[in-house]
Amino acid sequence: MAQIIIVGGSHGGVNAAHTLAHRLGREHRIILISAVDEFVYRPTLVHLAMGLRTAKQIRRPLAPGLRRRGIEFVQDTVEHIDPQARRVTGRTGEHDYDFLVVAPGARADWSGLPGGAEHAHTLLWMDDAVRLRQAIDSFRGGSVVIGMQRGGELPCPLYEVPLLLDAYLVRRGLRGQTTITAFSYEKTPYALAGPRASRLGARILRNRNIGFIGGTTATRIEPGRVRLEDGAELPSDLTFIMPPYKGRDVVQGLEPPTADGMLPVDDYMRSTRHDDVYAVGDAVDVDGPKTGRIAQQQGKVAGSNIAALLQGKKPVALYNSEYLCVLDLGLGGGLGWLRRPSPGQGRPVNYLGVSGPPVKWGKLVLERAQLAKLR
């Protein structure tokens, strides 16, 4: 019986565990280790921040659903991985592995933006959404600045946040007292999804009186002000920034990571240095955006290939990326876009775009489908 350890309980780790359990049954021991005991559906954190969802609605306990599938759950913070000994060490114990799936996520990297950590909000994890909601609830009008830094891995919130905030302020009667400005290193809005989506995105922002500044990033965040790299200064009573990601310290022992602490992998989601180690989700070194959907795909690929090896077969599952962004535009609207392959991973083969109210409800359908897997 082989022992498979999965480090991380978000989209990538959970989907890897489910794939392994489906392919292997209870023939081998599958253990998922996570520092927290719940799964959070991160794509709808923006709804939590805007008061449209509650924390209870977008999270589920990890242990019950995993155990029903024969997957063991351990709540622990993994602090070290020793690939030579094939062992992970947490604060409360050690675990040997025959195969390892590394899915600890990533963290915001504020090192290149002075004042960012102190004076800007972001939206990567549950606590970020709670703090942003508190700030929005206490907002009484003024200037709002929303931006994405160069190297930002999560572009969808850059457009969903200002549009949902616009709708929120309309409901509260504060929109006429508020200016909203978005900026991005992209020259045009929503450029990652392609020219048609960018034109549509620009039109939506204009119609909602949301300013857009392209081809720039912030160089400093100060109380009441955002400084841009072209020397411009934007007044800001509420600042929201999507920063670059940085890998977590736990991956450092596996191999020389990239400059931003990410793990190199091949198309099988296998470490380029250790054949028994796979990595998925925000922790991996892949070009382009990082989303929950992408992490789910990678988790399925890693789980399928490990299962194949344990069954005496050759791994055949390859990561064929796609970029899916489903935006709730507020005021009853929605915009969804699918691109294959994901930006940064080759010339696009096709785009599929839809808009209108059904897209908004589609976002909730995706949420409920993923959370249902944790039952």
Side-chain angles (χ1 to χ4, degrees):
M1 174 183 284
Q3 180 154 295
I4 309 156
I5 300 293
I6 301 159
V7 177
S10 192
H11 291 273
V14 166
N15 277 270
H18 285 176
T19 301
L20 285 160
H22 177 72
R23 298 291 180 91
L24 298 174
R26 299 174 187 261
E27 183 180 354
H28 300 281
R29 190 179 183 191
I30 305 167
I31 304 173
L32 188 146
I33 306 174
S34 174
V36 297
D37 62 356
E38 63 184 15
F39 172 90
V40 175
Y41 188 74
R42 293 170 59 197
T44 46
L45 284 176
V46 64
H47 282 165
L48 174 61
M50 300 297 165
L52 301 174
R53 308 288 281 163
T54 65
K56 183 178 180 180
Q57 288 174 310
I58 66 171
R59 65 185 180 190
R60 293 290 184 273
L62 280 167
L66 292 174
R67 288 171 180 159
R68 273 192 287 274
R69 291 170 171 79
I71 303 163
E72 298 177 43
F73 173 70
V74 175
Q75 185 176 356
D76 194 5
T77 299
V78 174
E79 297 182 326
H80 180 68
I81 298 172
D82 185 340
Q84 281 70 45
R86 304 173 88 182
R87 179 177 300 123
V88 300
T89 302
R91 293 177 182 174
T92 63
E94 295 182 339
H95 302 271
D96 294 332
Y97 64 81
D98 296 288
F99 286 96
L100 173 67
V101 179
V102 183
R107 52 193 168 122
D109 182 9
W110 295 109
S111 61
L113 182 60
E118 296 82 8
H119 306 302
H121 292 274
T122 192
L123 204 55
L124 300 180
W125 303 101
M126 176 75 80
D127 55 348
D128 296 323
V130 171
R131 284 193 293 268
L132 180 58
R133 180 171 182 174
Q134 292 169 346
I136 290 172
D137 284 345
S138 62
F139 185 72
R140 295 295 179 266
S143 300
V144 179
V145 175
I146 299 165
M148 183 165 66
Q149 292 295 91
R150 191 169 287 107
E153 310 281 7
L154 198 59
C156 294
L158 174 65
Y159 306 105
E160 202 166 27
V161 168
L163 290 161
L164 285 176
L165 181 60
D166 166 75
Y168 174 86
L169 293 172
V170 167
R171 292 196 303 271
R172 290 185 60 193
L174 294 172
R175 187 61 178 96
Q177 303 153 242
T178 304
T179 62
I180 303 176
T181 303
F183 70 84
S184 174
Y185 68 89
E186 296 182 300
K187 292 184 178 180
T188 59
Y190 208 24
L192 284 175
R196 183 182 166 199
S198 184
R199 290 192 295 270
L200 180 57
R203 185 168 70 246
I204 291 170
L205 292 176
R206 284 195 305 271
N207 291 343
R208 302 278 284 275
N209 197 26
I210 296 171
F212 180 81
I213 304 172
T216 190
T217 58
T219 56
R220 179 178 292 273
I221 309 295
E222 300 174 354
R225 180 166 52 186
V226 176
R227 296 179 182 267
L228 301 181
E229 63 183 359
D230 61 3
E233 295 184 3
L234 302 176
S236 182
D237 300 296
L238 178 63
T239 304
F240 175 90
I241 300 291
M242 292 306 299
Y245 279 175
K246 186 175 184 179
R248 296 195 179 274
D249 293 340
V250 68
V251 307
Q252 302 304 308
L254 282 173
E255 55 190 301
T258 61
D260 54 1
M262 303 299 179
L263 288 175
V265 294
D266 60 19
D267 290 341
Y268 299 92
M269 303 312 301
R270 179 176 51 202
S271 163
T272 57
R273 187 171 179 181
H274 307 287
D275 288 344
D276 51 5
V277 176
Y278 291 70
V280 302
D282 295 345
V284 303
D285 178 35
V286 294
D287 293 330
K290 295 181 178 180
T291 68
R293 170 68 175 173
I294 288 172
Q296 292 168 18
Q297 293 175 294
Q298 294 171 345
K300 185 175 182 179
V301 169
S304 297
N305 287 327
I306 292 172
L309 288 168
L310 289 171
Q311 292 168 340
K313 302 175 184 177
K314 183 179 179 180
V316 295
L318 298 175
Y319 172 53
N320 296 308
S321 67
E322 65 181 30
Y323 170 57
L324 175 66
C325 187
V326 182
L327 304 180
D328 181 352
L329 305 181
L331 304 180
L335 174 64
W337 216 263
L338 176 67
R339 168 179 165 161
R340 293 191 178 105
S342 183
Q345 297 176 37
R347 183 177 179 180
V349 176
N350 57 50
Y351 295 107
L352 173 65
V354 291
S355 61
V359 180
K360 174 181 177 178
W361 301 113
K363 187 179 181 80
L364 294 179
V365 169
L366 291 172
E367 172 197 301
R368 291 173 183 175
Q370 181 65 24
L371 292 176
K373 296 179 182 179
L374 275 296
R375 292 175 183 168

